[in-house]
């Protein structure tokens, strides 16, 4: 009888583990990907309107997870027709030749935050405008009955990706760092 009871628990344990480790897809209706460069030390914000996030993740065992982000670069919007036209060109994002940016991470760890259990860091490769760099993306993860959310922000240097070439290479007018901020709603 004890063996039967133990065997009956196996499917329940498998279900519990499957509920924790999930493949999450982005819900575009509540997700946002923002960036901010600086122009003469004043923030110059923008958004990417078209992006996708896929997360394979168990918050209790993050080391086995993966994070994949795809961004349609031409969806960048800086709220000005003139600026949007300029960033489409070869000196900036070069929409014609580099239509997509990607971030792929298979190294996800709990962040060393002194006991806060909802903070993680995804370390992976950002590919943008033909360049690739290793980037660490810190994020928080909050699961709920109807899905989950990821929130985070980090900074990336524009120079290694060739964002702002020619007269824009210098960092005295356009700053070297670009702040990236995201809120992603996820569903299974």
């Amino acid at each position: 009888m004890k063996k039967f009871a133990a065997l009956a628990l196996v499917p329940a344990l498998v279900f519990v583990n499957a509920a924790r480790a999930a493949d999450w897809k982005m819900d575009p209706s509540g997700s946002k990907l923002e960036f901010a460069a600086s122009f003469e030390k004043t923030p110059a914000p923008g958004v990417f309107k078209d992006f996708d996030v896929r997360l394979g993740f168990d918050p209790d065992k993050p080391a086995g997870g993966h994070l994949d982000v795809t961004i349609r670069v031409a969806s960048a919007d800086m709220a000005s027709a003139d600026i949007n036209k300029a960033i489409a060109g070869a000196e900036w994002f070069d929409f014609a030749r580099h239509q997509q940016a990607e971030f792929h991470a298979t190294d996800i760890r709990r962040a060393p935050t002194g006991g806060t259990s909802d903070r993680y860091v995804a370390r992976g490769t950002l590919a943008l405008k033909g360049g690739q760099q290793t980037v660490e993306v810190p994020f928080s993860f909050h699961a709920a009955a109807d899905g989950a959310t990821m929130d985070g922000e980090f900074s990336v240097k524009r120079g290694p990706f060739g964002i702002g070439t020619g007269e824009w290479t210098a960092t005295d007018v356009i700053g070297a760092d670009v702040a990236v901020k995201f809120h992603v709603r996820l569903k299974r």
Side-chain angles (χ1 to χ4, degrees), residues 17-105:
N17 283 337
R20 288 186 181 185
D23 285 327
W24 298 94
K25 297 177 185 178
M26 184 181 84
D27 177 357
S29 67
S31 299
K32 192 169 196 174
L33 178 57
E34 303 171 287
F35 63 92
S38 62
F39 176 73
E40 296 180 344
K41 300 184 182 177
T42 301
V47 297
F48 288 106
K49 294 181 175 182
D50 187 359
F51 67 102
D52 186 50
V53 175
R54 304 292 170 137
L55 176 67
F57 185 67
D58 177 347
D60 294 326
K61 297 177 185 170
H66 65 87
L67 174 61
D68 299 299
V69 180
T70 304
I71 304 163
R72 192 172 68 80
V73 180
S75 73
D77 184 0
M78 296 189 74
S80 162
D82 290 338
I83 294 173
N84 287 346
K85 183 178 178 183
I87 65 173
E91 290 182 322
W92 295 98
F93 285 112
D94 197 359
F95 294 168
R97 292 184 31 210
H98 303 284
Q99 299 171 6
Q100 187 167 288
E102 296 180 353
F103 175 74
H104 299 289

Side-chain angles (χ1 to χ4, degrees), residues 63-161:
H66 65 87
L67 174 61
D68 299 299
V69 180
T70 304
I71 304 163
R72 192 172 68 80
V73 180
S75 73
D77 184 0
M78 296 189 74
S80 162
D82 290 338
I83 294 173
N84 287 346
K85 183 178 178 183
I87 65 173
E91 290 182 322
W92 295 98
F93 285 112
D94 197 359
F95 294 168
R97 292 184 31 210
H98 303 284
Q99 299 171 6
Q100 187 167 288
E102 296 180 353
F103 175 74
H104 299 289
T106 55
D107 180 4
I108 301 177
R109 300 174 186 191
R110 193 170 301 281
T113 57
T116 305
S117 63
D118 67 345
R119 302 286 306 162
Y120 302 89
V121 176
R123 187 172 196 266
T125 302
L126 175 62
L128 172 65
K129 198 181 173 186
Q132 292 189 351
Q133 292 284 317
T134 299
V135 175
E136 290 190 352
V137 177
F139 67 94
S140 64
F141 179 84
H142 299 283
D146 61 342
T149 57
M150 282 180 75
D151 291 282
E153 53 188 283
F154 62 100
S155 180
V156 65
K157 300 251 181 240
R158 66 181 176 87
F161 296 103

